[in-house]
Amino acid sequence: MGNKVEKSIKALCFCIIMILSTNCVQAQNLINGKKIFETRCLVCHQSDGGGVPNMNPPLDGSTNVNGKDIARLVKIIQNGYDERVALDGMYYNNAMTGNPDLKEDAIADVLSYIRNTWSNKAGLVTITEVKKAIIKNKLNKK
Amino acid sequence: MKKGGSILSLFILSLSIMGKAQENAGLKLPVGFKASLFANNIGSARHIAITKSGVIFAKLNNPNKEGNSIVRLEDTNNDGVAEKINGLAKYGGTGIYVKGNSLYASSNEAIFKYDLNSKDEVVNPLTPLTVVSGLIDRREHNSKSITLDMANNIYVNIGAYSNACQEKNRMPGSQGMKPCPILDSAGGIWKFDGSKQNQTYKDGKRYATGLRNVIGLDWNTQTNQLFVAQHGRDQLNSFYPNLYTDAQNAELPAETFYAINEGDNAGWPYVYYDPIQHKKIVAPEYGGDSKMEGSAEFKDPAVAFPAHMAPMAVLFYTGDQFPAKYKNGAFISFHGSWNRAPLPQEGFFVAFVPFKDGKATGEWEIFANGFAGMEEGVKVTNTGKAKARPCGLALGPDGSIYVSDDTKGAIFKISYNK
């Protein structure tokens, strides 16, 4: 009987630690993501994620940023972007700088940040998802 | 009692604040000037042009909700507000110019010409003549601003589709190309014959080069000379953090205003103008270290403005309504910056550049401010939050000037009360 209670308490503690540490990891991801955003992205996409009309598209409220196609987002972050495509009905003229030097964990962090800041609530992106996306993009290239 | 009194005074205060916000359409102007909201929500109004009878034509960046990309506005009862508004044309663009009975308008790759009748209505809205076509449009800096000289020659800006002519545009570490191949067909001002049709590059002439992107240009009829305002390069700190801090990038390079003679070279992409050192500095993509001085063959600006403010239109004031100091001086509209981030943005106003004996004195002052709609003393942090961004400028027959906004499509009329 006593053993059972002890086991349950242990299990409960384990759960709490897991939840706390996961949250800590998530918070750390977002802090790293914010740092990367501020040094590489803010100047064009602006601190409110609102972009610059006709030149640099907004991240806040963007269908693509909040969407399911992580591979496309990873590709844009790595290679930059320079295509005449309407984004949520608007055209933007500036070419985006690529970030070929960003590591997989950094890409996951910055994606997690931009998908969960301002009005965006699209969920975190894991390193595994980024790795899968990079493989998928390589295969599509071939 | 006391409480009632304070509520009453609060009410009066808020009424007076509301009243103030509407005064002069929200603009801050020098003493004696007043402004009205001539039109609003007409679409992304880029440049504007006015006929002798005072009809305004605005060129829209994209067709508006009525599907028009040129809007005609008429103030039929002369109250400072347009009552009769209609439109034509399906192509987006920036340039528009009225010369006699001709209305010129540009898309991002061509220039068209319409005829106006005695009421300044467009006779051939669906069948304009094509004056020039085939101009380069590679998205970045694609707007084609136009002005005409007194001999009916048309000058068009063809912006460089690049920030600094790197091998890979806006890629950190990518070197500048030398010679820059873009300059053959862009990065300058081209001259065409405004009375001929179906011209292409081979019929025109590269009038001036080494200009990254000019949106504001005007012909000075007093000195018979072209004046242009250039958008300087971006992202010195993003690509060269070891050479430039965020604070330095916010002030570099100057937005430059040039008195252009045929054959001039303003030096883009090889040099930029540093308004603090008062020198042309070699761009870091071409081996510069933020101090190395560039070649003297490149032109010096007539006026150097703070960085990144984005000059959108130039208008020489040849009217008679404003005080004498404005006569033959230049108004320049500034769209407002984005590349000063993370520092606060600047611009979002119309500046005045005094001229003496046909030359800019080098001084400048803010003429009309308050377009962004921020509270007193508050700067714009995020460019997209500015309520209005000054773009086109035009002179009315009564000497008033008009300023367009390409955010929501406002047109402001500014007059002087004698």
Side-chain angles (χ1 to χ4, degrees):
Chain A
M1 182 71 186
N3 229 351
K4 258 189 183 176
V5 172
E6 205 171 291
K7 263 189 184 168
S8 320
I9 290 171
K10 269 187 184 166
L12 194 67
C13 284
F14 181 73
C15 281
I16 289 168
I17 289 164
M18 277 307 285
I19 288 165
L20 282 179
S21 64
T22 313
N23 278 343
C24 279
V25 169
Q26 287 179 1
Q28 194 54 47
N29 281 348
L30 294 179
I31 290 166
N32 286 342
K34 185 171 194 273
K35 264 187 212 158
I36 297 161
F37 174 82
E38 283 171 354
T39 46
R40 294 178 186 243
C41 324
L42 178 148
V43 63
C44 297
H45 294 292
Q46 305 277 290
S47 67
D48 65 350
V52 180
N54 302 315
M55 301 187 89
N56 311 321
L59 302 176
D60 184 20
S62 153
T63 307
N64 284 323
V65 171
N66 288 291
K68 292 202 173 92
D69 191 351
I70 303 295
R72 176 185 158 98
L73 298 175
V74 170
K75 189 172 159 192
I76 290 170
I77 287 179
Q78 288 191 306
N79 301 347
Y81 196 74
D82 192 8
E83 285 170 43
R84 193 192 293 266
V85 171
L87 301 168
D88 295 318
M90 298 292 290
Y91 287 89
Y92 299 89
N93 284 345
N94 273 5
M96 177 175 149
T97 304
N99 299 273
D101 57 322
L102 268 191
K103 302 244 166 21
E104 288 149 351
D105 55 341
I107 295 173
D109 289 350
V110 76
L111 273 178
S112 295
Y113 177 76
I114 64 169
R115 282 161 62 87
N116 294 283
T117 304
W118 317 297
S119 68
N120 293 347
K121 289 183 182 67
L124 302 179
V125 175
T126 63
I127 299 175
T128 317
E129 281 176 286
V130 172
K131 283 181 177 163
K132 274 185 192 164
I134 291 170
I135 293 166
K136 188 178 167 188
N137 290 337
K138 268 188 192 152
L139 289 174
N140 282 346
K141 218 175 177 181
K142 283 171 193 169
Chain B
M1 185 62 201
K2 206 178 173 188
K3 201 176 176 189
S6 65
I7 288 174
L8 185 69
S9 60
L10 201 71
F11 180 66
I12 291 167
L13 184 74
S14 56
L15 268 187
S16 69
I17 289 169
M18 281 164 67
K20 248 186 186 166
Q22 285 167 342
E23 195 187 340
N24 290 324
L27 301 189
K28 278 178 67 182
L29 301 164
V31 175
F33 285 89
K34 60 173 185 170
S36 65
L37 191 58
F38 184 79
N40 204 0
N41 299 315
I42 63 163
S44 49
R46 300 282 281 182
H47 283 176
I48 48 178
I50 306 188
T51 68
K52 275 190 183 136
S53 71
V55 169
I56 297 189
F57 287 97
K59 187 74 195 72
L60 306 186
N61 211 14
N62 300 295
N64 62 13
K65 54 185 184 294
E66 285 84 26
N68 297 317
S69 70
I70 297 176
V71 178
R72 181 186 184 278
L73 306 105
E74 199 172 347
D75 177 8
T76 48
N77 61 2
N78 210 25
D79 64 348
V81 178
E83 287 82 28
K84 197 174 163 190
I85 301 176
N86 48 42
L88 60 142
K90 304 294 169 209
Y91 53 89
T94 291
I96 196 146
Y97 198 90
V98 170
K99 181 104 179 167
N101 297 325
S102 298
L103 173 71
Y104 294 85
S106 70
S107 68
N108 291 330
E109 52 198 19
I111 304 167
F112 304 100
K113 184 178 165 187
Y114 300 85
D115 295 323
L116 301 174
N117 65 17
S118 58
K119 293 176 187 164
D120 287 336
E121 295 160 338
V122 175
V123 179
N124 51 341
L126 299 174
T127 53
L129 301 178
T130 302
V131 180
V132 184
S133 65
L135 304 179
I136 271 190
D137 170 5
R138 295 197 189 160
R139 294 174 58 237
E140 193 169 342
H141 307 146
N142 61 359
S143 63
K144 303 292 183 287
S145 305
I146 51 173
T147 194
L148 275 80
D149 66 12
M150 293 179 285
N152 229 23
N153 293 302
I154 194 161
Y155 299 83
V156 55
N157 166 66
I158 306 176
Y161 43 91
S162 173
N163 178 41
C165 206
Q166 292 165 284
E167 283 163 12
K168 285 185 107 178
N169 189 24
R170 295 186 194 256
M171 275 297 200
S174 175
Q175 291 301 299
M177 292 183 278
K178 196 163 189 179
C180 173
I182 292 172
L183 293 169
D184 288 349
S185 57
I189 306 292
W190 266 254
K191 178 181 175 182
F192 293 94
D193 186 335
S195 52
K196 285 189 181 158
Q197 286 183 60
N198 301 321
Q199 299 169 89
T200 59
Y201 273 104
K202 65 177 172 19
D203 306 297
K205 180 191 265 183
R206 192 176 74 176
Y207 190 74
T209 189
L211 291 157
R212 177 175 172 272
N213 188 29
V214 166
I215 302 185
L217 73 174
D218 196 15
W219 189 264
N220 184 328
T221 54
Q222 193 198 17
T223 60
N224 209 21
Q225 190 176 22
L226 180 69
F227 282 77
V228 307
Q230 177 185 229
H231 288 215
R233 49 114 7 111
D234 306 320
Q235 293 170 296
L236 285 166
N237 60 332
S238 306
F239 302 149
Y240 297 92
N242 53 331
L243 293 177
Y244 302 91
T245 63
D246 289 353
Q248 283 173 316
N249 174 70
E251 305 302 335
L252 294 174
E255 300 288 52
T256 41
F257 182 52
Y258 296 100
I260 294 289
N261 297 313
E262 185 166 355
D264 274 348
N265 184 343
W268 180 90
Y270 313 117
V271 297
Y272 65 80
Y273 193 78
D274 182 325
I276 297 145
Q277 301 183 67
H278 304 285
K279 283 176 185 167
K280 288 161 295 198
I281 301 295
V282 176
E285 291 82 358
Y286 289 88
D289 61 356
S290 82
K291 293 181 187 76
M292 191 193 297
E293 204 166 341
S295 166
E297 72 182 291
F298 302 127
K299 196 169 180 76
D300 280 318
V303 184
F305 290 93
H308 310 304
M309 299 198 308
M312 298 304 279
V314 174
L315 173 71
F316 280 99
Y317 189 77
T318 53
D320 294 320
Q321 187 192 98
F322 289 7
K325 80 167 209 184
Y326 294 99
K327 188 81 178 185
N328 297 318
F331 288 102
I332 302 183
S333 59
F334 286 94
H335 215 200
S337 63
W338 60 268
N339 192 213
R340 292 176 78 95
L343 278 75
Q345 306 299 344
E346 292 287 350
F348 310 95
F349 54 65
V350 176
F352 177 69
V353 176
F355 268 62
K356 202 178 172 214
D357 304 326
K359 283 193 171 145
T361 62
E363 304 289 306
W364 67 277
E365 63 196 39
I366 295 176
F367 173 70
N369 207 346
F371 293 90
M374 308 304 284
E375 280 174 44
E376 186 77 36
V378 177
K379 289 193 189 264
V380 174
T381 309
N382 294 293
T383 310
K385 290 285 193 292
K387 286 201 178 71
R389 301 180 74 193
C391 191
L393 293 171
L395 175 66
D398 70 347
S400 300
I401 68 165
Y402 295 78
V403 184
S404 67
D405 144 59
D406 63 354
T407 307
K408 293 200 178 67
I411 296 180
F412 301 86
K413 178 181 183 180
I414 301 175
S415 309
Y416 183 69
N417 274 339
K418 276 163 206 161

